[in-house]
Amino acid sequence: TCARAAERLLGAPPPPDGHRSQPLHRRLRASLKVSIVEGMFAEVFTACAGPTVLTAWAIALKLGPFLVGVMTALPFFSQFVQFPAAWLTLCFGHRRVALTAVCLSRLALLPLALLPWLGLSLEGKQHLLLAVAGASALLAVVGNNAWVAWMGELVPSAVRGRFFGKRTAIITLMGTGASLTAGLLMDRLKGLDGVGLALPLLALVACVMGVVTTLMMAAQHDPAPPGTLPKLELKAALLPWKDDGARRVLQYQVAWNAAVGVSAPFFALHSLQNLKMTFVIMALHAAAVAGVRVLTAPLWGRAIDRLGAQPVLMLCSLGISAIPMLWLLPSAGTLWPLLFDVLLAGALWSGHGLAIFALPLTVAPRRGRPFYLAAFATAGGLAYAAAASLGGALAARVPQQFMLGGHLWVNLHVLFVVSSVARLGAAFLAARVNEPGAATTRTVAQVVERFLPRLRPATAGSRAPSRPRAPTGA
């Protein structure tokens, strides 16, 4: 019926005939609804304190390309605390650790709101910016480990793709509006030199959003049964590395994040410095990407529930490999080639984000799941951070502008080419990933065949076996 379909879309299993589980069922549905609302306010926080705003802080405080790369890579350098974070999650529970760490990570931006009135030298302001970004990143790692493990328990696995596809679409709309507002604010209130008023104001709004999101998270329950106090043993941290399925995901994470990290921190810098884009134009570009994500996220979510995360991951990784090359085309007076970036980035990163979120939850067993999540995040995060730092160092050594083949190029174009080639190589590692309950794809032809089943001959035995449903709550 329509009611039961709506319940499944929200991620809640249909209630049994008895009445004993009715309160728990209503509590689950309420928690999932609040999770969507909390995600919307979290997008406002990201718009006020995300990579674009941090890049604006870096430009205002005159950080060079190397320090910009280091600063934007801090969230990934911070992944080395994942295993202590997993231990904290097991000791004190998903909900308690997530609430505390996420709140503190967002309130850590308060010194930036007061920066113009602290009387610091330029060097002191630069150090404070890096310290605040580092502290916020460390606390966010702890909070994210607990939150992902919490969602793994809260959202039934059979409809996990659809729920997060719907959640992603809704919160992306909120994030789009918030990013446009932040861009307008930065363009209107930016100072001729220095920090100005817009950046401290955005930092203050980010702190307020930290309080709001904490209250929203506190309204959600944790269905995980209480456990005993675990010991911090090295063998528990090594379990993911001994698991063949988990190890293949780890290999992909390392290669992929390194390939992305070479260029990802520098797209905003390239937009501002070389393409001469205003913050409003950057926000409009982000809004267009977000619009495509809104349209495609539910489709990818249903595809993940039906086919599995691995085919989606491989298809999106292959497509994303071409995106950095698109950034070789626009110039300060010719921005229209970014329309292709809007379509590809919006559609493919939407599917990739859902797949890379769902896959570790499927591969990791329920027992010890925080340590598996810690291993995935640590491997990928440190690879990204190292690649971002190397990318910044490479950009600093290459001439800012040079001629090649009769065309004028900038140093960041080199990073985009390196990243594109590396992404293509990393994408094929997704073919080696074995996802429980899904028939994996090994070649591009198999990926196309899985996603376009109507093009196959309607012969007996031509249909791939459907993916078995995982038990609710697994």
Side-chain angles (χ1 to χ4, degrees), residues 72-80 137 141 257 265 377-378 380-386 388:
T72 54
L74 282 174
F76 301 91
F77 275 124
S78 303
Q79 300 298 328
F80 73 88
V141 167
N257 281 24
T378 300
L382 294 181
Y384 181 102

Side-chain angles (χ1 to χ4, degrees), residues 338-360:
L338 291 181
L339 292 174
F340 298 105
D341 174 75
V342 166
L343 296 175
L344 280 179
L348 298 176
W349 276 116
S350 175
H352 188 279
L354 289 172
I356 203 62
F357 180 86
L359 187 61

Side-chain angles (χ1 to χ4, degrees), residues 58-74:
I59 293 174
L61 297 180
K62 298 180 173 57
L63 269 66
F66 176 71
L67 287 180
V68 170
V70 171
M71 185 186 67
T72 54
L74 282 174

Side-chain angles (χ1 to χ4, degrees), residues 161-162 164-170 172 291-304 346-347 350-351 354:
R162 275 172 286 173
F164 283 106
K166 176 184 176 181
R167 185 179 187 270
T168 298
I170 293 174
T172 300
V292 178
R293 293 191 67 174
V294 168
L295 295 174
T296 56
L299 303 177
W300 288 121
R302 288 195 290 271
I304 289 172
S350 175
L354 289 172

Side-chain angles (χ1 to χ4, degrees), residues 267-289:
F267 285 108
L269 184 64
H270 180 62
S271 300
L272 292 169
Q273 288 189 345
N274 301 319
L275 301 184
K276 308 301 180 184
M277 295 169 63
T278 64
F279 289 109
V280 172
I281 293 178
M282 290 179 65
L284 288 173
H285 173 264
V289 173

Side-chain angles (χ1 to χ4, degrees), residues 308-367:
Q310 188 267 346
V312 173
L313 184 68
M314 183 176 178
L315 179 67
C316 292
S317 298
L318 289 170
I320 291 171
S321 301
I323 290 178
M325 300 298 286
L326 296 176
W327 283 79
L328 304 180
L329 304 177
S331 61
T334 310
L335 297 178
W336 65 263
L338 291 181
L339 292 174
F340 298 105
D341 174 75
V342 166
L343 296 175
L344 280 179
L348 298 176
W349 276 116
S350 175
H352 188 279
L354 289 172
I356 203 62
F357 180 86
L359 187 61
L361 293 176
T362 305
V363 173
R366 184 176 183 182
R367 183 176 181 85

